[in-house]
Amino acid sequence: MPAEHHNDGRRAAEHQHADRRAAEHHNDGRRAAEHQHADHRATEPGHHGGHDRAGRGSADRDRAGSGTVAAGDERWPQPVLRLLTTGGDRPVFEDGDRIVGAAELADLVRRTASGLRAAGIGPGRAVALRIGVTPEALAGVLAAFTVGARVSGIRPELTPAQLDRLLASDDALLVDDTRLAALARTPDDGSPLVAAGRPADIARITWTSGSTGNPKGCAQTYAAMGAAWAAYPERWPAAIADLAPRLGRYLVFGSLSSQVMLEYGILTLAAGGTLVAARPPGFPGMITRHRATASVITVGKLHQLVRDQRTDPVDLSSLRALVVSGSPLTASRLAEALDVLGPVVFHGYGQTETGMIAMVTPTELLADPGRLASVGRAPDVVDLSIRDATGRPAAEGELFVRTPAQASAYWADPAETAEVFTDGWVRTRDLARLDADGYLHLSGRVRDVIIVNANLVYAGPIERVLAADPAVAEAYVVSRPDDVTGEAVHAYVVPATGCPLDVGRLRDRVAATLGAAAVPTTVEVIDRVPVGPSGKPDKRALGVGTG
Protein backbone atom coordinates (compact mmCIF):
# COMPACT_ATOMS: atom_id res chain seq x y z
CA MET A 1 0.00 0.00 0.00
CA PRO A 2 1.18 3.58 -0.58
CA ALA A 3 1.34 4.36 3.14
CA GLU A 4 4.15 1.85 3.58
CA HIS A 5 6.53 4.19 1.81
CA HIS A 6 6.01 7.27 4.01
CA ASN A 7 7.57 8.37 7.26
CA ASP A 8 5.14 8.15 10.18
CA GLY A 9 6.16 11.50 11.66
CA ARG A 10 5.80 13.31 8.36
CA ARG A 11 2.44 11.61 7.81
CA ALA A 12 1.13 12.80 11.18
CA ALA A 13 2.12 16.37 10.37
CA GLU A 14 0.51 16.12 6.94
CA HIS A 15 -2.72 14.78 8.48
CA GLN A 16 -2.86 17.71 10.89
CA HIS A 17 -2.25 20.11 7.99
CA ALA A 18 -4.99 18.47 5.92
CA ASP A 19 -7.39 18.69 8.88
CA ARG A 20 -6.70 22.42 9.22
CA ARG A 21 -7.22 22.97 5.49
CA ALA A 22 -10.50 21.05 5.55
CA ALA A 23 -11.72 23.16 8.45
CA GLU A 24 -10.68 26.41 6.81
CA HIS A 25 -12.50 25.65 3.59
CA HIS A 26 -15.57 23.95 5.01
CA ASN A 27 -18.85 25.37 3.79
CA ASP A 28 -21.99 23.60 4.95
CA GLY A 29 -24.10 24.42 1.90
CA ARG A 30 -21.38 23.51 -0.56
CA ARG A 31 -20.55 20.25 1.23
CA ALA A 32 -24.21 19.31 1.31
CA ALA A 33 -24.43 19.76 -2.46
CA GLU A 34 -21.26 17.74 -2.98
CA HIS A 35 -22.49 14.93 -0.73
CA GLN A 36 -25.79 14.88 -2.55
CA HIS A 37 -23.89 14.28 -5.78
CA ALA A 38 -21.65 11.76 -4.03
CA ASP A 39 -24.75 9.71 -3.19
CA HIS A 40 -26.00 9.91 -6.77
CA ARG A 41 -24.45 6.83 -8.38
CA ALA A 42 -24.54 5.98 -12.06
CA THR A 43 -26.02 2.76 -13.32
CA GLU A 44 -23.78 0.38 -15.20
CA PRO A 45 -23.97 1.03 -18.97
CA GLY A 46 -23.47 -1.34 -21.79
CA HIS A 47 -25.41 -4.31 -20.35
CA HIS A 48 -28.88 -3.31 -21.51
CA GLY A 49 -28.89 -5.49 -24.61
CA GLY A 50 -27.01 -8.48 -25.96
CA HIS A 51 -24.41 -8.40 -28.69
CA ASP A 52 -21.94 -10.72 -30.33
CA ARG A 53 -18.46 -10.13 -31.64
CA ALA A 54 -19.90 -9.36 -35.08
CA GLY A 55 -21.35 -6.20 -33.67
CA ARG A 56 -25.01 -6.48 -32.62
CA GLY A 57 -24.61 -3.95 -29.84
CA SER A 58 -26.78 -2.15 -27.34
CA ALA A 59 -29.07 0.59 -28.64
CA ASP A 60 -28.76 2.27 -25.25
CA ARG A 61 -25.00 2.50 -25.70
CA ASP A 62 -25.47 4.04 -29.15
CA ARG A 63 -27.68 6.72 -27.63
CA ALA A 64 -25.06 7.47 -24.95
CA GLY A 65 -22.38 7.93 -27.57
CA SER A 66 -24.56 10.34 -29.51
CA GLY A 67 -24.80 12.76 -26.61
CA THR A 68 -27.67 11.66 -24.37
CA VAL A 69 -27.44 10.51 -20.77
CA ALA A 70 -29.43 7.49 -19.62
CA ALA A 71 -31.52 7.82 -16.48
CA GLY A 72 -29.31 7.56 -13.39
CA ASP A 73 -26.07 8.47 -15.14
CA GLU A 74 -23.97 11.34 -13.83
CA ARG A 75 -21.86 13.85 -15.69
CA TRP A 76 -18.13 13.61 -16.14
CA PRO A 77 -16.01 14.13 -14.03
CA GLN A 78 -18.45 13.80 -11.10
CA PRO A 79 -17.23 10.30 -10.08
CA VAL A 80 -13.68 11.64 -9.71
CA LEU A 81 -14.88 14.70 -7.81
CA ARG A 82 -16.77 12.36 -5.49
CA LEU A 83 -13.59 10.34 -4.85
CA LEU A 84 -11.76 13.51 -3.87
CA THR A 85 -14.44 15.28 -1.82
CA THR A 86 -15.10 12.14 0.25
CA GLY A 87 -11.49 10.93 0.38
CA GLY A 88 -10.29 12.90 3.38
CA ASP A 89 -6.55 12.67 4.01
CA ARG A 90 -5.97 9.68 1.76
CA PRO A 91 -2.78 10.38 -0.30
CA VAL A 92 -3.63 10.74 -3.99
CA PHE A 93 -0.56 12.52 -5.43
CA GLU A 94 3.10 12.32 -4.47
CA ASP A 95 5.61 14.77 -5.94
CA GLY A 96 8.96 14.36 -4.19
CA ASP A 97 8.49 15.24 -0.52
CA ARG A 98 5.11 16.78 -1.23
CA ILE A 99 2.16 14.48 -0.58
CA VAL A 100 -1.32 15.75 -1.44
CA GLY A 101 -4.42 14.21 0.06
CA ALA A 102 -7.82 13.83 -1.58
CA ALA A 103 -9.41 16.77 0.27
CA GLU A 104 -6.48 19.05 -0.53
CA LEU A 105 -6.63 18.13 -4.21
CA ALA A 106 -10.39 18.76 -4.19
CA ASP A 107 -9.66 22.27 -2.87
CA LEU A 108 -7.13 22.77 -5.68
CA VAL A 109 -9.76 21.70 -8.23
CA ARG A 110 -12.31 24.06 -6.68
CA ARG A 111 -9.99 27.09 -6.75
CA THR A 112 -8.79 26.35 -10.28
CA ALA A 113 -12.37 25.98 -11.45
CA SER A 114 -13.15 29.35 -9.84
CA GLY A 115 -10.24 30.88 -11.78
CA LEU A 116 -11.43 29.38 -15.05
CA ARG A 117 -14.96 30.64 -14.52
CA ALA A 118 -13.58 34.10 -13.73
CA ALA A 119 -11.71 33.96 -17.06
CA GLY A 120 -14.98 33.27 -18.88
CA ILE A 121 -14.44 29.53 -19.32
CA GLY A 122 -17.51 27.32 -19.10
CA PRO A 123 -19.71 25.10 -21.27
CA GLY A 124 -18.90 25.54 -24.95
CA ARG A 125 -15.59 27.34 -24.33
CA ALA A 126 -12.21 25.77 -25.14
CA VAL A 127 -9.09 25.28 -23.00
CA ALA A 128 -5.78 23.96 -24.37
CA LEU A 129 -3.52 22.53 -21.68
CA ARG A 130 0.27 22.55 -21.99
CA ILE A 131 1.10 21.12 -18.59
CA GLY A 132 3.36 18.64 -16.85
CA VAL A 133 2.84 16.27 -13.91
CA THR A 134 2.06 18.11 -10.69
CA PRO A 135 -0.91 18.17 -8.32
CA GLU A 136 -1.85 21.49 -9.90
CA ALA A 137 -1.78 19.87 -13.35
CA LEU A 138 -4.16 17.12 -12.28
CA ALA A 139 -6.40 19.69 -10.61
CA GLY A 140 -6.29 21.80 -13.78
CA VAL A 141 -7.47 18.96 -15.99
CA LEU A 142 -10.28 18.05 -13.62
CA ALA A 143 -11.27 21.71 -13.13
CA ALA A 144 -11.51 22.30 -16.88
CA PHE A 145 -13.87 19.34 -17.18
CA THR A 146 -15.78 20.42 -14.07
CA VAL A 147 -16.70 23.81 -15.55
CA GLY A 148 -17.86 22.06 -18.74
CA ALA A 149 -15.13 23.33 -21.06
CA ARG A 150 -13.87 21.72 -24.25
CA VAL A 151 -10.47 20.43 -23.13
CA SER A 152 -7.46 19.52 -25.25
CA GLY A 153 -3.86 18.66 -24.44
CA ILE A 154 -0.95 20.17 -26.33
CA ARG A 155 1.56 17.62 -27.57
CA PRO A 156 5.13 18.80 -26.89
CA GLU A 157 6.42 17.73 -30.31
CA LEU A 158 4.15 20.10 -32.25
CA THR A 159 5.93 22.62 -34.44
CA PRO A 160 5.07 26.32 -33.84
CA ALA A 161 2.99 26.38 -37.04
CA GLN A 162 1.06 23.28 -35.98
CA LEU A 163 0.40 24.77 -32.53
CA ASP A 164 -0.87 28.02 -34.03
CA ARG A 165 -3.17 26.10 -36.37
CA LEU A 166 -4.49 23.95 -33.51
CA LEU A 167 -5.26 26.92 -31.24
CA ALA A 168 -6.91 28.82 -34.07
CA SER A 169 -9.10 25.85 -35.01
CA ASP A 170 -10.62 25.71 -31.54
CA ASP A 171 -10.37 29.35 -30.36
CA ALA A 172 -8.83 27.94 -27.19
CA LEU A 173 -7.42 29.58 -24.07
CA LEU A 174 -3.85 28.29 -23.73
CA VAL A 175 -3.05 27.27 -20.15
CA ASP A 176 0.53 26.34 -19.28
CA ASP A 177 2.02 25.47 -15.89
CA THR A 178 2.65 29.13 -15.03
CA ARG A 179 -0.92 30.18 -15.76
CA LEU A 180 -2.18 27.07 -13.99
CA ALA A 181 -0.32 28.03 -10.81
CA ALA A 182 -2.00 31.44 -10.92
CA LEU A 183 -5.43 29.84 -11.42
CA ALA A 184 -4.82 27.58 -8.42
CA ARG A 185 -4.32 30.69 -6.25
CA THR A 186 -7.80 32.00 -7.09
CA PRO A 187 -9.95 32.53 -3.98
CA ASP A 188 -12.58 29.85 -3.55
CA ASP A 189 -15.87 31.22 -4.90
CA GLY A 190 -17.90 28.83 -2.75
CA SER A 191 -19.37 26.88 -5.67
CA PRO A 192 -19.82 23.16 -4.99
CA LEU A 193 -17.79 20.71 -7.05
CA VAL A 194 -20.59 19.73 -9.37
CA ALA A 195 -19.87 18.89 -13.01
CA ALA A 196 -21.36 21.44 -15.40
CA GLY A 197 -20.68 19.76 -18.73
CA ARG A 198 -23.59 19.37 -21.15
CA PRO A 199 -23.94 15.77 -22.40
CA ALA A 200 -23.88 16.56 -26.12
CA ASP A 201 -21.02 19.07 -25.87
CA ILE A 202 -17.49 18.06 -26.82
CA ALA A 203 -15.59 17.38 -23.59
CA ARG A 204 -12.17 16.46 -24.92
CA ILE A 205 -10.21 16.84 -28.12
CA THR A 206 -7.21 14.52 -28.29
CA TRP A 207 -4.82 15.65 -31.00
CA THR A 208 -2.89 13.12 -33.09
CA SER A 209 -0.79 13.41 -36.22
CA GLY A 210 -2.91 13.53 -39.37
CA SER A 211 -2.63 12.13 -42.87
CA THR A 212 -2.21 15.66 -44.26
CA GLY A 213 0.63 16.54 -41.89
CA ASN A 214 -1.64 18.69 -39.71
CA PRO A 215 -2.84 17.40 -36.32
CA LYS A 216 -6.33 15.93 -36.23
CA GLY A 217 -8.49 16.05 -33.13
CA CYS A 218 -10.52 13.10 -31.83
CA ALA A 219 -13.61 14.65 -30.23
CA GLN A 220 -15.43 12.96 -27.32
CA THR A 221 -18.68 14.24 -25.85
CA TYR A 222 -19.36 14.58 -22.14
CA ALA A 223 -21.83 11.71 -22.51
CA ALA A 224 -19.08 9.49 -23.93
CA MET A 225 -16.63 10.47 -21.19
CA GLY A 226 -19.30 9.61 -18.60
CA ALA A 227 -19.76 6.16 -20.15
CA ALA A 228 -16.10 5.21 -19.55
CA TRP A 229 -15.19 2.54 -17.01
CA ALA A 230 -12.05 3.88 -15.29
CA ALA A 231 -13.74 5.70 -12.39
CA TYR A 232 -16.34 2.98 -11.74
CA PRO A 233 -15.08 -0.31 -10.21
CA GLU A 234 -18.42 -1.96 -10.99
CA ARG A 235 -17.77 -1.34 -14.70
CA TRP A 236 -14.19 -2.65 -14.84
CA PRO A 237 -13.61 -5.34 -17.47
CA ALA A 238 -11.90 -8.51 -16.21
CA ALA A 239 -8.42 -7.45 -17.36
CA ILE A 240 -8.78 -4.04 -15.69
CA ALA A 241 -10.05 -5.67 -12.49
CA ASP A 242 -6.80 -7.70 -12.51
CA LEU A 243 -4.70 -4.59 -13.17
CA ALA A 244 -6.34 -2.15 -10.72
CA PRO A 245 -5.08 -3.64 -7.42
CA ARG A 246 -1.52 -3.35 -8.74
CA LEU A 247 -1.77 0.44 -9.10
CA GLY A 248 -0.75 1.31 -5.53
CA ARG A 249 1.97 3.68 -6.74
CA TYR A 250 1.40 4.61 -10.38
CA LEU A 251 4.11 6.64 -12.13
CA VAL A 252 3.05 9.73 -14.06
CA PHE A 253 5.33 11.52 -16.49
CA GLY A 254 5.08 13.65 -19.61
CA SER A 255 1.72 15.41 -19.27
CA LEU A 256 -1.44 14.71 -17.31
CA SER A 257 -3.41 16.03 -20.27
CA SER A 258 -2.33 12.85 -22.12
CA GLN A 259 -5.26 10.55 -22.80
CA VAL A 260 -3.44 7.40 -21.64
CA MET A 261 -1.69 8.99 -18.63
CA LEU A 262 -4.96 10.47 -17.37
CA GLU A 263 -7.04 7.35 -17.98
CA TYR A 264 -4.79 5.12 -15.89
CA GLY A 265 -4.39 7.93 -13.38
CA ILE A 266 -8.17 8.00 -12.84
CA LEU A 267 -8.16 4.21 -12.59
CA THR A 268 -5.44 4.49 -9.93
CA LEU A 269 -7.54 6.91 -7.87
CA ALA A 270 -10.60 4.64 -8.16
CA ALA A 271 -8.49 1.68 -7.06
CA GLY A 272 -7.26 3.51 -3.96
CA GLY A 273 -3.74 4.15 -5.24
CA THR A 274 -1.47 7.17 -5.47
CA LEU A 275 -0.15 9.01 -8.54
CA VAL A 276 3.63 9.43 -8.21
CA ALA A 277 5.45 12.06 -10.28
CA ALA A 278 8.51 10.49 -11.92
CA ARG A 279 11.41 12.90 -11.42
CA PRO A 280 13.40 12.46 -13.51
CA PRO A 281 11.51 10.11 -15.84
CA GLY A 282 13.25 7.10 -17.32
CA PHE A 283 13.33 3.33 -16.86
CA PRO A 284 14.42 1.59 -14.70
CA GLY A 285 15.51 4.43 -12.40
CA MET A 286 12.08 5.88 -11.79
CA ILE A 287 10.75 2.49 -10.68
CA THR A 288 13.51 1.87 -8.14
CA ARG A 289 13.75 5.49 -6.97
CA HIS A 290 10.02 5.82 -6.24
CA ARG A 291 9.34 2.16 -5.35
CA ALA A 292 6.67 2.28 -8.01
CA THR A 293 4.20 -0.55 -8.47
CA ALA A 294 2.94 0.35 -11.95
CA SER A 295 3.57 2.35 -15.09
CA VAL A 296 2.61 2.57 -18.72
CA ILE A 297 5.45 1.86 -21.15
CA THR A 298 5.98 1.95 -24.90
CA VAL A 299 7.23 -1.08 -26.82
CA GLY A 300 10.62 0.52 -27.42
CA LYS A 301 11.10 1.38 -23.75
CA LEU A 302 10.08 -2.16 -22.80
CA HIS A 303 12.78 -3.58 -25.09
CA GLN A 304 15.36 -1.32 -23.45
CA LEU A 305 14.24 -2.23 -19.94
CA VAL A 306 14.46 -5.95 -20.69
CA ARG A 307 17.91 -5.50 -22.20
CA ASP A 308 19.10 -3.46 -19.20
CA GLN A 309 17.78 -6.04 -16.76
CA ARG A 310 19.69 -8.77 -18.57
CA THR A 311 23.00 -6.90 -18.57
CA ASP A 312 22.83 -4.74 -15.43
CA PRO A 313 19.85 -5.76 -13.30
CA VAL A 314 18.38 -3.51 -10.61
CA ASP A 315 15.83 -4.18 -7.88
CA LEU A 316 12.38 -4.09 -9.46
CA SER A 317 10.69 -6.02 -6.66
CA SER A 318 8.12 -3.25 -6.12
CA LEU A 319 6.88 -3.52 -9.72
CA ARG A 320 3.54 -5.25 -10.22
CA ALA A 321 2.29 -3.94 -13.56
CA LEU A 322 3.65 -2.54 -16.81
CA VAL A 323 0.93 -1.64 -19.31
CA VAL A 324 2.44 -1.80 -22.80
CA SER A 325 0.68 -0.63 -25.94
CA GLY A 326 0.99 1.81 -28.81
CA SER A 327 2.79 -0.30 -31.41
CA PRO A 328 3.11 -4.00 -32.31
CA LEU A 329 4.80 -6.30 -29.80
CA THR A 330 5.90 -9.65 -31.17
CA ALA A 331 5.17 -12.89 -29.31
CA SER A 332 8.88 -13.58 -28.80
CA ARG A 333 9.53 -10.14 -27.33
CA LEU A 334 6.51 -10.45 -25.03
CA ALA A 335 7.67 -13.87 -23.85
CA GLU A 336 11.13 -12.47 -23.15
CA ALA A 337 9.69 -9.59 -21.14
CA LEU A 338 7.65 -11.98 -18.99
CA ASP A 339 10.72 -14.16 -18.47
CA VAL A 340 12.99 -11.28 -17.43
CA LEU A 341 10.55 -9.01 -15.59
CA GLY A 342 8.13 -11.58 -14.21
CA PRO A 343 4.31 -11.70 -14.41
CA VAL A 344 3.84 -7.94 -14.62
CA VAL A 345 3.31 -7.24 -18.35
CA PHE A 346 -0.20 -6.31 -19.50
CA HIS A 347 -0.42 -6.05 -23.29
CA GLY A 348 -3.16 -3.66 -24.41
CA TYR A 349 -4.59 -2.54 -27.72
CA GLY A 350 -6.57 0.59 -28.37
CA GLN A 351 -6.74 3.75 -30.40
CA THR A 352 -7.15 7.43 -29.62
CA GLU A 353 -10.56 7.27 -31.31
CA THR A 354 -11.80 4.34 -29.24
CA GLY A 355 -9.91 3.99 -25.99
CA MET A 356 -9.08 0.45 -24.90
CA ILE A 357 -10.25 -2.23 -27.32
CA ALA A 358 -8.64 -5.33 -25.79
CA MET A 359 -6.09 -6.35 -23.16
CA VAL A 360 -4.33 -9.57 -22.20
CA THR A 361 -3.09 -10.13 -18.64
CA PRO A 362 0.10 -11.85 -17.42
CA THR A 363 -2.03 -14.63 -15.94
CA GLU A 364 -3.61 -15.34 -19.32
CA LEU A 365 -0.27 -15.21 -21.11
CA LEU A 366 1.41 -17.63 -18.73
CA ALA A 367 -1.57 -20.01 -18.77
CA ASP A 368 -1.44 -20.42 -22.56
CA PRO A 369 1.63 -19.37 -24.60
CA GLY A 370 -0.59 -19.31 -27.71
CA ARG A 371 -2.03 -16.05 -26.41
CA LEU A 372 1.34 -14.31 -26.70
CA ALA A 373 0.52 -13.51 -30.33
CA SER A 374 -2.77 -11.85 -29.41
CA VAL A 375 -3.72 -8.51 -27.86
CA GLY A 376 -6.30 -10.11 -25.60
CA ARG A 377 -10.06 -10.26 -25.49
CA ALA A 378 -12.39 -7.30 -25.83
CA PRO A 379 -14.59 -6.43 -22.85
CA ASP A 380 -18.27 -7.30 -23.15
CA VAL A 381 -19.18 -3.64 -23.71
CA VAL A 382 -16.89 -3.41 -26.76
CA ASP A 383 -18.32 -4.59 -30.08
CA LEU A 384 -16.02 -5.97 -32.78
CA SER A 385 -16.80 -6.36 -36.47
CA ILE A 386 -14.28 -7.83 -38.92
CA ARG A 387 -15.06 -7.04 -42.55
CA ASP A 388 -13.65 -7.76 -45.98
CA ALA A 389 -12.90 -5.10 -48.61
CA THR A 390 -16.58 -4.98 -49.61
CA GLY A 391 -17.74 -4.39 -46.02
CA ARG A 392 -19.11 -7.89 -45.51
CA PRO A 393 -18.38 -9.95 -42.35
CA ALA A 394 -15.18 -11.97 -42.68
CA ALA A 395 -13.00 -14.30 -40.62
CA GLU A 396 -10.04 -12.01 -41.26
CA GLY A 397 -10.12 -8.45 -42.51
CA GLU A 398 -10.39 -4.85 -41.39
CA LEU A 399 -11.45 -4.32 -37.79
CA PHE A 400 -14.33 -2.00 -36.91
CA VAL A 401 -15.13 -1.36 -33.25
CA ARG A 402 -17.75 0.30 -31.09
CA THR A 403 -16.93 1.29 -27.51
CA PRO A 404 -19.00 3.13 -24.88
CA ALA A 405 -16.57 6.07 -24.60
CA GLN A 406 -15.42 6.40 -28.21
CA ALA A 407 -14.92 9.69 -30.02
CA SER A 408 -17.72 10.74 -32.35
CA ALA A 409 -15.81 12.82 -34.91
CA TYR A 410 -12.59 14.60 -35.83
CA TRP A 411 -12.75 18.24 -34.83
CA ALA A 412 -13.50 20.50 -37.81
CA ASP A 413 -12.65 17.71 -40.27
CA PRO A 414 -15.84 16.38 -41.87
CA ALA A 415 -14.06 14.48 -44.66
CA GLU A 416 -11.87 12.46 -42.29
CA THR A 417 -14.83 11.99 -39.95
CA ALA A 418 -16.89 10.43 -42.74
CA GLU A 419 -13.97 8.11 -43.57
CA VAL A 420 -13.48 6.75 -40.04
CA PHE A 421 -16.74 7.16 -38.08
CA THR A 422 -19.38 5.15 -39.93
CA ASP A 423 -22.87 4.33 -38.63
CA GLY A 424 -21.75 4.35 -34.99
CA TRP A 425 -18.63 2.28 -35.69
CA VAL A 426 -14.99 3.33 -35.72
CA ARG A 427 -12.91 2.08 -38.60
CA THR A 428 -9.55 1.12 -37.03
CA ARG A 429 -7.81 0.51 -40.37
CA ASP A 430 -6.06 -2.42 -38.71
CA LEU A 431 -6.30 -5.96 -40.08
CA ALA A 432 -7.39 -8.56 -37.56
CA ARG A 433 -8.92 -11.94 -36.78
CA LEU A 434 -10.47 -13.62 -33.75
CA ASP A 435 -9.34 -17.07 -32.62
CA ALA A 436 -11.63 -19.79 -31.29
CA ASP A 437 -11.33 -18.46 -27.71
CA GLY A 438 -12.19 -14.89 -28.66
CA TYR A 439 -8.65 -13.51 -28.51
CA LEU A 440 -7.94 -10.75 -31.01
CA HIS A 441 -4.93 -11.06 -33.34
CA LEU A 442 -3.61 -8.15 -35.42
CA SER A 443 -2.03 -8.93 -38.78
CA GLY A 444 -1.27 -5.59 -40.43
CA ARG A 445 -2.63 -2.19 -41.40
CA VAL A 446 -4.79 -0.75 -44.12
CA ARG A 447 -3.28 2.70 -43.64
CA ASP A 448 0.29 3.75 -44.35
CA VAL A 449 1.51 4.76 -40.89
CA ILE A 450 4.52 4.28 -38.66
CA ILE A 451 4.02 4.14 -34.87
CA VAL A 452 6.96 5.99 -33.27
CA ASN A 453 7.00 6.00 -29.47
CA ALA A 454 3.28 5.14 -29.51
CA ASN A 455 2.51 8.13 -31.77
CA LEU A 456 1.10 7.76 -35.28
CA VAL A 457 3.31 9.18 -38.02
CA TYR A 458 1.85 9.17 -41.53
CA ALA A 459 4.18 8.25 -44.39
CA GLY A 460 2.43 10.43 -46.98
CA PRO A 461 3.27 13.87 -45.55
CA ILE A 462 6.93 12.86 -45.08
CA GLU A 463 7.13 11.67 -48.67
CA ARG A 464 5.66 14.95 -49.89
CA VAL A 465 8.12 17.05 -47.87
CA LEU A 466 11.08 15.04 -49.15
CA ALA A 467 9.87 15.12 -52.75
CA ALA A 468 9.53 18.90 -52.57
CA ASP A 469 13.30 19.24 -52.31
CA PRO A 470 14.76 20.22 -55.72
CA ALA A 471 17.37 17.45 -55.46
CA VAL A 472 14.75 14.68 -55.02
CA ALA A 473 12.90 13.07 -57.92
CA GLU A 474 10.97 10.48 -55.88
CA ALA A 475 10.61 9.73 -52.17
CA TYR A 476 9.21 6.72 -50.34
CA VAL A 477 8.82 6.14 -46.61
CA VAL A 478 8.44 2.79 -44.84
CA SER A 479 8.29 1.46 -41.30
CA ARG A 480 10.80 -0.86 -39.67
CA PRO A 481 10.88 -2.37 -36.17
CA ASP A 482 13.06 -0.43 -33.76
CA ASP A 483 14.20 -1.45 -30.27
CA VAL A 484 14.16 2.15 -29.06
CA THR A 485 10.97 3.60 -30.54
CA GLY A 486 8.96 0.46 -31.37
CA GLU A 487 8.91 1.40 -35.04
CA ALA A 488 11.04 3.91 -36.94
CA VAL A 489 10.72 5.98 -40.10
CA HIS A 490 13.02 4.99 -42.98
CA ALA A 491 13.13 6.94 -46.23
CA TYR A 492 14.29 6.03 -49.73
CA VAL A 493 14.91 8.80 -52.24
CA VAL A 494 15.67 8.78 -55.95
CA PRO A 495 17.88 11.81 -56.76
CA ALA A 496 17.00 14.26 -59.49
CA THR A 497 19.38 14.12 -62.44
CA GLY A 498 22.56 16.03 -61.80
CA CYS A 499 21.56 17.16 -58.29
CA PRO A 500 23.71 16.22 -55.30
CA LEU A 501 21.67 15.09 -52.28
CA ASP A 502 22.23 16.52 -48.81
CA VAL A 503 20.68 14.01 -46.39
CA GLY A 504 21.04 16.38 -43.44
CA ARG A 505 19.10 19.06 -45.30
CA LEU A 506 16.32 16.57 -46.07
CA ARG A 507 16.00 15.57 -42.41
CA ASP A 508 15.93 19.23 -41.37
CA ARG A 509 13.11 19.93 -43.88
CA VAL A 510 11.00 17.16 -42.34
CA ALA A 511 11.68 18.34 -38.78
CA ALA A 512 10.77 21.94 -39.58
CA THR A 513 7.54 20.99 -41.34
CA LEU A 514 6.24 17.95 -39.46
CA GLY A 515 8.15 17.79 -36.17
CA ALA A 516 10.92 15.62 -34.75
CA ALA A 517 8.88 12.40 -34.59
CA ALA A 518 8.54 12.36 -38.40
CA VAL A 519 12.27 12.69 -39.13
CA PRO A 520 13.57 9.56 -40.91
CA THR A 521 16.05 7.50 -38.92
CA THR A 522 17.78 6.76 -42.22
CA VAL A 523 17.62 8.27 -45.69
CA GLU A 524 18.88 5.86 -48.34
CA VAL A 525 19.62 6.95 -51.89
CA ILE A 526 18.44 4.48 -54.55
CA ASP A 527 18.57 4.53 -58.34
CA ARG A 528 14.95 3.47 -58.77
CA VAL A 529 12.06 2.13 -56.72
CA PRO A 530 10.91 -1.49 -57.13
CA VAL A 531 7.60 -1.95 -58.91
CA GLY A 532 4.94 -4.61 -58.46
CA PRO A 533 3.04 -6.59 -61.12
CA SER A 534 0.71 -3.65 -61.63
CA GLY A 535 3.65 -1.38 -62.48
CA LYS A 536 3.09 0.72 -59.37
CA PRO A 537 5.84 1.35 -56.81
CA ASP A 538 6.15 -1.57 -54.37
CA LYS A 539 7.12 -0.02 -51.05
CA ARG A 540 7.01 -3.39 -49.31
CA ALA A 541 9.98 -4.51 -51.41
CA LEU A 542 12.12 -1.61 -50.23
CA GLY A 543 12.78 -3.11 -46.81
CA VAL A 544 13.63 -6.60 -48.06
CA GLY A 545 17.19 -7.45 -47.17
CA THR A 546 17.86 -4.06 -45.62
CA GLY A 547 16.32 -4.26 -42.13
Side-chain angles (χ1 to χ4, degrees), residues 257-531:
S257 66
S258 156
Q259 180 186 28
V260 172
M261 199 61 63
L262 181 64
E263 180 171 304
Y264 287 104
I266 298 302
L267 177 62
T268 296
L269 295 179
T274 302
L275 280 65
V276 180
R279 304 197 190 282
F283 296 100
M286 64 182 179
I287 298 174
T288 59
R289 185 166 50 253
H290 298 292
R291 302 303 298 160
T293 65
S295 178
V296 296
I297 190 170
T298 63
V299 169
K301 296 296 184 185
L302 179 68
H303 294 341
Q304 293 180 69
L305 179 60
V306 169
R307 184 171 60 246
D308 290 344
Q309 282 298 99
R310 283 198 181 280
T311 59
D312 188 19
V314 298
D315 179 12
L316 298 181
S317 58
S318 68
L319 184 64
R320 299 188 61 204
L322 283 174
V323 181
V324 56
S325 63
S327 55
L329 179 61
T330 65
S332 61
R333 290 285 199 175
L334 182 52
E336 182 185 21
L338 289 166
D339 179 57
V340 173
L341 302 175
V344 300
V345 182
F346 289 74
H347 187 198
Y349 166 60
Q351 294 189 345
T352 306
E353 293 85 348
T354 62
M356 191 187 89
I357 296 171
M359 179 177 284
V360 62
T361 69
T363 302
E364 293 174 293
L365 294 169
L366 294 172
D368 183 354
R371 296 168 183 164
L372 289 164
S374 81
V375 291
R377 286 188 286 200
D380 288 342
V381 294
V382 173
D383 298 329
L384 306 180
S385 175
I386 297 174
R387 308 176 187 179
D388 63 19
T390 67
R392 296 174 180 172
E396 184 166 357
E398 185 173 357
L399 177 66
F400 289 69
V401 303
R402 184 165 52 187
T403 70
Q406 70 189 34
S408 54
Y410 293 118
W411 182 254
D413 193 344
E416 189 73 7
T417 295
E419 177 72 17
V420 173
F421 298 92
T422 60
D423 298 323
W425 293 87
V426 178
R427 181 186 181 192
T428 69
R429 293 182 281 197
D430 287 334
L431 301 174
R433 66 176 179 85
L434 287 168
D435 66 21
D437 295 321
Y439 284 83
L440 185 65
H441 297 251
L442 303 179
S443 55
R445 301 186 191 121
V446 174
R447 53 187 171 172
D448 196 3
V449 296
I450 303 101
I451 305 178
V452 180
N453 283 324
N455 295 317
L456 290 182
V457 176
Y458 284 81
I462 305 174
E463 291 172 342
R464 290 191 288 272
V465 170
L466 292 173
D469 190 282
V472 175
E474 301 174 61
Y476 302 92
V477 167
V478 300
S479 168
R480 288 191 202 155
D482 188 278
D483 281 351
V484 176
T485 59
E487 294 181 2
V489 177
H490 292 266
Y492 295 84
V493 295
V494 178
T497 303
C499 293
L501 273 173
D502 183 339
V503 170
R505 185 182 73 233
L506 294 178
R507 290 166 55 87
D508 289 344
R509 286 179 68 106
V510 174
T513 306
L514 302 175
V519 175
T521 300
T522 62
V523 179
E524 185 172 336
V525 180
I526 57 177
D527 293 331
R528 56 185 175 84
V529 66
V531 296

Side-chain angles (χ1 to χ4, degrees), residues 66-90:
S66 67
T68 63
V69 177
D73 278 354
E74 60 188 349
R75 296 181 181 183
W76 173 259
Q78 200 63 50
V80 186
L81 301 179
R82 178 173 62 246
L83 285 169
L84 298 179
T85 56
T86 62
D89 296 330
R90 177 199 137 194

Side-chain angles (χ1 to χ4, degrees), residues 2 6 80 83-84 90-96 98-102 105 132-139 141-142 246-253 255-258 260-279 290-295:
H6 304 312
V80 186
L83 285 169
L84 298 179
R90 177 199 137 194
V92 295
F93 203 108
E94 179 180 316
D95 190 358
R98 182 186 179 194
I99 300 172
V100 176
L105 188 63
V133 286
T134 63
E136 287 74 17
L138 179 58
V141 175
L142 294 174
R246 304 171 185 239
L247 299 174
R249 293 175 59 78
Y250 166 69
L251 288 170
V252 289
F253 48 90
S255 174
L256 282 167
S257 66
S258 156
V260 172
M261 199 61 63
L262 181 64
E263 180 171 304
Y264 287 104
I266 298 302
L267 177 62
T268 296
L269 295 179
T274 302
L275 280 65
V276 180
R279 304 197 190 282
H290 298 292
R291 302 303 298 160
T293 65
S295 178

